[in-house]
Amino acid sequence: MEIQLWREFLSPYQLAVDELIIKFRHLKEDFDIQGVYSPIDQVEGRVKTIDSILDKLQKKDISMNDMAEKIEDIAGIRITCQFVEDIDRVAELIKERRDMEVLQEKDYIRNIKDSGYRSYHLIISYTVHTAKGPRTLPAEIQIRTIGMNFWATIEHSLQYKYKGSIPERVQQKLSNASSAIDAIDHAMSEVRDEIMDAQVYHLRKEHTVKDILNNIQNLYKVANRREVNKIQDEFYRIYLLDDLAKLQHFSKQLDIISEGYRAQSLN
Ligand code: 0O2
């Protein structure tokens, strides 16, 4: 196929990847804004390279004419999670969505691959709107922990280095490393609740401080400077107490003060 034709062929897949990345990153931000723990840590994606598509066609004995139908991971995104438990939660969130349909699930966490590969894959059907009209495409969503991703990235580059046949001694080491990462994932799960609490606390504090600073900045434009300086000093005093409830209370009071100035300026 000519390069221009490849470009045209891959263009809707690129659109699907771009949209999916935005949607899942936004979902993570939504959790953050609500001050709720997000099961999504990172989202990335790619369109499969022409090289890699050609390799797969050859490996699986698929003709070019069947490629759109038979290769389901031309568009792919990867969602990394902090904890193993988050993976099922993310899969549930995807299954609940109306803008994509899950066609297939591959659970390489409960059914670890011989290589030691662990990940949860969903093949979805997703519609993009192109210049030629709507196109429904398959896309692969890989969901895995940061640890699983670390292992898969290293193993993937070794597969390139050894052109798919990694020597037995290296394979054994990789398999041991996969088990070690599994143990770490489980050890981290044991402190999951505490880590989640700490992260949510930090997130809420960050949002509250941001709101307060925004309010103070705006007050400088409308209020008496001496009064704003006093508010600022009070903020520093409360901030040093490291007490979120007090900080939130202060933020609410500041909202009322700011609202008063806003009302005055409208009169
Ligand atoms: P790339 O370069 O990442 O795109 P199937 O017919 O379902 O058996 P398929 O389509 O290969 O065959 O599905 P599978 O096994 O679920 O693999 C899909 C993708 O998962 C792979 O794409 C890899 O990205 C990843 N993957 C699967 N097994 C392994 C593994 O042992 N190690 C690593 N590092 N990644 C793996 P591609 O096209 O193989 O590669």
Side-chain angles (χ1 to χ4, degrees), residues 92-136:
E92 269 168 37
L93 289 171
I94 294 171
K95 287 181 207 164
E96 283 165 8
R97 294 183 73 107
R98 296 207 182 142
D99 54 348
M100 54 194 77
E101 187 195 345
V102 174
L103 302 176
Q104 203 187 341
E105 287 178 67
K106 299 181 193 176
D107 185 350
Y108 299 128
I109 294 174
R110 287 164 189 97
N111 310 295
I112 305 171
K113 280 199 160 188
D114 291 343
S115 58
Y117 179 72
R118 291 184 306 132
S119 187
Y120 197 91
H121 295 185
L122 292 176
I123 306 293
I124 58 156
S125 157
Y126 184 74
T127 302
V128 288
H129 294 269
T130 70
K132 289 183 181 161
R135 267 286 305 274
T136 302

Side-chain angles (χ1 to χ4, degrees), residues 44-78:
E44 53 192 355
R46 60 96 185 103
V47 170
K48 214 172 176 64
T49 60
I50 299 175
D51 257 21
S52 178
I53 295 176
L54 292 174
D55 276 357
K56 202 156 187 166
L57 289 177
Q58 199 184 21
K59 213 164 78 190
K60 301 206 156 199
D61 199 19
I62 299 170
S63 77
M64 279 250 198
N65 291 337
D66 294 337
M67 118 178 119
E69 199 192 320
K70 296 201 170 152
I71 302 195
E72 292 165 320
D73 64 343
I74 297 178
I77 66 154
R78 183 171 301 143

Side-chain angles (χ1 to χ4, degrees), residues 10-244:
L10 294 176
S11 170
Y13 292 94
Q14 186 62 58
L15 179 57
V17 169
D18 293 346
E19 286 187 9
L20 289 167
I21 290 177
I22 286 188
K23 287 183 176 185
F24 286 104
R25 284 194 182 151
H26 197 272
L27 186 59
K28 180 201 161 30
E29 272 168 33
D30 247 7
F31 279 110
D32 290 351
I33 287 167
Q34 286 171 36
V36 174
Y37 173 80
S38 168
I40 296 173
D41 187 53
Q42 297 276 336
V43 183
E44 53 192 355
R46 60 96 185 103
V47 170
K48 214 172 176 64
T49 60
I50 299 175
D51 257 21
S52 178
I53 295 176
L54 292 174
D55 276 357
K56 202 156 187 166
L57 289 177
Q58 199 184 21
K59 213 164 78 190
K60 301 206 156 199
D61 199 19
I62 299 170
S63 77
M64 279 250 198
N65 291 337
D66 294 337
M67 118 178 119
E69 199 192 320
K70 296 201 170 152
I71 302 195
E72 292 165 320
D73 64 343
I74 297 178
I77 66 154
R78 183 171 301 143
I79 298 178
T80 39
C81 308
Q82 298 189 90
F83 301 100
V84 187
E85 292 78 0
D86 299 336
I87 296 174
D88 284 341
R89 178 81 190 104
V90 173
E92 269 168 37
L93 289 171
I94 294 171
K95 287 181 207 164
E96 283 165 8
R97 294 183 73 107
R98 296 207 182 142
D99 54 348
M100 54 194 77
E101 187 195 345
V102 174
L103 302 176
Q104 203 187 341
E105 287 178 67
K106 299 181 193 176
D107 185 350
Y108 299 128
I109 294 174
R110 287 164 189 97
N111 310 295
I112 305 171
K113 280 199 160 188
D114 291 343
S115 58
Y117 179 72
R118 291 184 306 132
S119 187
Y120 197 91
H121 295 185
L122 292 176
I123 306 293
I124 58 156
S125 157
Y126 184 74
T127 302
V128 288
H129 294 269
T130 70
K132 289 183 181 161
R135 267 286 305 274
T136 302
L137 312 162
E140 182 182 72
I141 305 182
Q142 300 183 341
I143 317 168
R144 47 171 90 143
T145 63
I146 299 166
M148 293 173 193
N149 193 43
F150 170 50
W151 185 93
T153 307
I154 304 286
E155 199 257 6
H156 197 264
S157 27
L158 285 175
Q159 276 182 24
Y160 266 108
K161 177 177 170 185
Y162 294 109
K163 299 188 175 61
S165 37
I166 301 177
E168 181 59 35
R169 76 188 156 79
V170 182
Q171 244 167 34
Q172 189 52 52
K173 286 189 177 158
L174 284 168
S175 174
N176 295 345
S178 170
S179 307
I181 286 174
D182 189 34
I184 292 175
D185 271 340
H186 284 95
M188 293 309 276
S189 287
E190 283 170 25
V191 284
R192 180 172 182 256
D193 286 347
E194 273 172 65
I195 295 175
M196 276 166 59
D197 282 351
Q199 288 176 349
V200 167
Y201 179 89
H202 179 74
L203 215 65
R204 289 191 182 152
K205 188 171 169 190
E206 203 177 84
H207 286 308
T208 311
V209 168
K210 204 167 146 197
D211 284 348
I212 293 173
L213 292 178
N214 266 343
N215 260 334
I216 292 180
Q217 217 167 17
N218 288 333
L219 280 175
Y220 269 116
K221 292 179 203 151
V222 288
N224 174 298
R225 205 180 177 85
R226 264 226 319 264
E227 194 189 345
V228 188
N229 282 344
K230 252 167 66 188
I231 291 174
Q232 197 166 294
D233 289 346
E234 179 64 359
F235 162 62
Y236 286 139
R237 190 188 67 76
I238 294 174
Y239 182 81
L240 292 176
L241 298 176
D242 199 17
D243 181 333
L244 181 57

